[in-house]
Amino acid sequence: MEGNLTIGALLAQGIERLRNATGPLTDAGLDAEVLLAQALSMSRTQLKTHPENVPSQERARRYVELIERRAAGEPVAYIVGYKDFWTLRLAVNPAVLVPRPETELLVERALTLGSTGTARVVDLGTGSGAIALALACERKEWAVAATDISEEALDLARANASMLGLGRVEFVKGQWFEPLAARRFDLIVSNPPYVAEGDPALQDPALKREPRIALVSGRDGLSALREIVRLAPQYLERRGWLLLEHGADQAAAVARELVVRGFGHVRSHRDLAGHERITEAQWI
């Protein structure tokens, strides 16, 4: 990119660079726009309303640096340091998965199934705290806890809670239910790792930057899901709900595990792309 370009010209060149580098599955336009807003310390709306403005050469060079990081496969969220999820802006870094839009369906279902009064809720493998914090934001009367095996992830989740004024959310370290002792909950939610070892998707440059422990779960991708289903009844109140996010082709397998374990009202829900992404079940 040359110096003394307008905002509009910088954006056009950034889009072209990303399209050439990342292929058709990436939203090059959105990525380039987010990165330009970051480099210029402007909102995306300001970019659109003032495309004729000419940024300083220093800021233009900063934009080029950000575009090259994205072209090399680094997720946009790691580059800018945040990701919007639900109604929240969350800090993210390479210690946690980047929250995905499809996970908002898990939040929607939890809000639908959960009590409108008090409820005890736990989010297993919370990462950045996205699910736990979204639920706590929407249901002030809920007692929300969250677990994660990674201290780095918990540090980030606690920082997000503090930033959002949701310090009442409890974050505890441990694998799944391990740190919860004999506690019982009305809702258990989780977006555990569900990618199979050796899945070609793991070669995606963006996935390579995300923590493998939060992505991969055994030879078929179901190990974590099976463990959560097996242990959940010990921590659920009667008529409590378990909600799980899983891979697009795993709904039938997860439903079978739930039925065999003794859960009732087992059903799956499709995300906006039409994939069965969430399976829920009631302990009866």
Side-chain angles (χ1 to χ4, degrees), residues 57-183:
Q57 289 194 4
E58 180 182 356
R59 289 188 178 272
R61 283 195 296 270
R62 174 62 176 155
Y63 177 56
V64 172
E65 292 171 1
L66 300 184
I67 285 290
E68 290 307 313
R69 287 170 64 183
R70 179 68 187 113
E74 188 173 353
V76 171
Y78 291 165
I79 297 173
V80 300
Y82 70 85
K83 178 68 175 179
D84 292 329
F85 177 83
W86 197 249
T87 61
L88 312 175
R89 174 155 290 186
L90 301 168
V92 295
N93 62 35
V96 301
L97 286 183
V98 177
R100 268 61 166 182
E102 53 264 32
T103 302
E104 293 185 358
L105 178 59
L106 189 64
V107 175
E108 290 178 12
R109 291 306 305 161
L111 294 173
T112 298
L113 295 172
S115 168
T116 55
T118 59
R120 288 164 294 175
V121 183
V122 65
D123 171 25
L124 305 177
T126 194
S128 64
I131 297 168
L133 294 174
L135 295 176
C137 181
E138 295 294 333
R139 296 287 188 267
K140 308 296 185 186
E141 64 277 19
W142 284 8
V144 180
T147 71
D148 204 287
I149 198 170
S150 166
E151 192 64 56
E152 289 181 283
L154 289 173
D155 286 344
L156 184 64
R158 292 187 184 107
N160 278 325
S162 177
M163 179 176 58
L164 295 166
L166 296 169
R168 70 182 189 280
V169 177
E170 176 191 8
F171 294 99
V172 288
K173 184 179 180 182
Q175 176 86 355
W176 311 131
F177 297 100
E178 178 188 6
L180 299 175
R183 297 168 62 176

